[in-house]
Amino acid sequence: MDFGVVLQTNPPAWRTVALAKEAEEHGFDYVWTFDSHLLWQEPYVIYSQILAETRRIIVGPMVTNPATRDWTVTASVFATLNEMYGNRTVVGIGRGDSAVRTLNGKPTTLKEVRDATHVIRELGNCRPVEHMGSTIRFPWARTSALEVWIAAYGPLALKTAGEAGDGFILQLADVDVAKWMIAQVRDAAEKAGRDPDALTFCVAAPAYVGSEDQIDHMRSQTRWFGGMVGNHIADIVAKYGDDPDNGFPTVLVDYIKGRTGYDYNTHGKADNDHVDFVPDEIVDRFCLLGTPEQHVEKLEALKEIGVDQFCIYLQHDNKEETMRVYGETIMPQLREHVTAKA
């Protein structure tokens, strides 16, 4: 299993760079960031500095969208970074949440996600692509290799991820929900004539390491995540309704019934004051909280259902310690064990 962290690009930018360097020092494989240009600093600029000051880490947005960034510009950014730093980028993409909603916009259609994924991937892999009535390519790109992973929750979005993505990003760590959603993506890939095993399955959620008597504090620091997920689930319920016969996990539908609104000014922050509707049970199911042993137990369950990467949202007050404990204690137990002598 690979491991990553998700950072917000809060000022100063050097703090984000320092956290990325620390993640690499502790053995993490990926550094992701939010991509919401009004709420935080521009991540694509910061990626260049992260790549310049690290040697191995892979960077990318979790997640960008087809609305606020021109697809060809996105492809150009990552192809350029790959040419400069040796193919150490990945693109996570979705319909759009905070980046579009803060501009009073709406999430894009899944067709736009599918089309953007194709254009970004082809250009990012030095291939020509049909776009806006022309065949285009980057004449300067020679070695860039780029994957595009699709973030999804709803039935049609999961289908899109399986049919068009190089990977699938699920932003919650409930084992039962993840198992159902991964199965939907794998089924869609297979029906499209693709090899499901060729896709990367990434689960991202807050992780907080602490003793059992700290559980109330850990929940208070990560409850915001249930509110963020609730934004997407509310869209799905509005589209499909809350009929349990549609197969969508009822745990997701039930917990948002008390949702009354959301303040994007505190999006992704521990002090978000619009997440009181999120019960403790959901915080515990969506996140990884507790002792190292409890983290390992849940990560092993996620690995068993096909998760290739677990990515930690580090939007809490225990960033450095969480990375240290994961690097020294937790991640080694989930890595492939190789012995010097058979």
Side-chain angles (χ1 to χ4, degrees):
M1 179 180 276
D2 287 338
F3 289 86
V5 297
V6 185
L7 305 175
Q8 285 174 344
T9 52
N10 294 304
W14 292 114
R15 167 70 166 153
T16 305
V17 176
L19 287 170
K21 291 170 64 177
E22 189 169 347
E24 182 174 73
E25 290 167 1
H26 285 302
F28 286 87
D29 306 286
Y30 287 75
V31 169
W32 304 82
T33 72
F34 284 61
D35 181 10
S36 196
H37 58 290
L38 286 181
L39 298 179
W40 302 289
Q41 292 182 322
E42 171 54 47
Y44 293 7
V45 176
I46 297 173
Y47 293 161
S48 188
Q49 194 63 45
I50 291 173
L51 291 167
E53 298 209 10
T54 56
R55 296 293 176 266
R56 181 184 51 82
I57 210 84
I58 296 170
V59 303
M62 188 177 283
V63 295
T64 193
N65 68 84
T68 57
R69 296 187 185 274
D70 181 273
W71 310 347
T72 62
V73 175
T74 296
S76 181
V77 167
F78 288 98
T80 300
L81 291 172
N82 283 340
E83 296 282 329
M84 291 174 67
Y85 298 108
N87 293 330
R88 292 167 54 203
T89 71
V90 62
V91 172
I93 194 168
R95 295 178 60 217
D97 183 32
S98 62
V100 295
R101 295 185 197 271
T102 52
L103 295 170
N104 296 322
K106 296 181 179 180
T108 61
T109 65
L110 288 171
K111 182 181 185 305
E112 288 173 302
V113 172
R114 185 187 297 268
D115 292 345
T117 296
H118 176 66
V119 169
I120 293 168
R121 178 169 51 225
E122 294 306 293
L123 291 175
N125 284 281
C126 310
R127 297 190 291 260
V129 67
E130 296 293 323
H131 182 55
M132 300 181 69
S134 298
T135 301
I136 58 173
R137 70 181 302 170
F138 298 141
W140 43 264
R142 295 289 185 269
T143 62
S144 174
L146 182 67
E147 291 191 350
V148 183
W149 301 1
I150 296 176
Y153 291 106
L156 289 180
L158 295 169
K159 183 173 182 287
T160 299
E163 293 175 345
D166 296 305
F168 163 52
I169 296 172
L170 173 60
Q171 291 160 306
L172 59 83
D174 182 282
V175 177
D176 293 334
V177 174
K179 182 178 181 179
W180 183 83
M181 291 192 174
I182 288 173
Q184 304 305 303
V185 174
R186 291 182 63 89
D187 183 62
E190 190 170 2
K191 287 180 178 177
R194 308 180 73 202
D195 179 6
D197 292 333
L199 274 67
T200 300
F201 294 92
C202 174
V203 162
Y208 198 118
V209 181
S211 60
E212 293 185 8
D213 60 0
Q214 295 175 304
I215 188 63
D216 289 341
H217 179 71
M218 290 188 278
R219 286 170 177 160
S220 72
Q221 287 289 302
T222 56
R223 196 176 305 275
W224 65 268
F225 185 67
M228 186 186 81
V229 173
N231 296 331
H232 302 285
I233 304 306
D235 286 344
I236 294 167
V237 171
K239 181 177 178 65
Y240 297 101
D242 57 4
D243 185 354
D245 292 335
N246 64 18
F248 194 71
T250 56
V251 63
L252 299 179
V253 176
D254 291 345
Y255 95 90
I256 67 161
K257 290 180 179 178
R259 180 180 182 272
T260 58
Y262 191 80
D263 183 4
Y264 279 94
N265 288 311
T266 52
H267 182 60
K269 297 181 179 180
D271 61 353
N272 190 317
D273 56 1
H274 283 65
V275 296
D276 290 343
F277 69 94
V278 182
D280 289 348
E281 177 194 3
I282 290 297
V283 179
D284 295 347
R285 292 183 65 165
F286 284 13
C287 305
L288 272 74
L289 310 177
T291 64
E293 293 76 17
Q294 290 172 313
H295 284 248
V296 169
E297 181 181 6
K298 191 165 186 177
L299 288 167
E300 286 178 337
L302 289 169
K303 184 178 181 180
E304 181 66 24
I305 64 171
V307 174
D308 300 300
Q309 178 182 157
F310 176 66
C311 204
I312 303 174
Y313 276 98
L314 281 177
Q315 285 64 57
H316 54 59
D317 62 2
N318 203 35
K319 297 177 180 62
E320 288 86 350
E321 180 64 5
T322 297
M323 287 194 286
R324 184 192 68 79
V325 176
Y326 259 74
E328 295 181 2
T329 304
I330 297 173
M331 294 193 305
Q333 299 187 58
L334 277 299
R335 303 285 198 187
E336 181 182 359
H337 293 280
V338 178
T339 58
K341 184 176 180 179

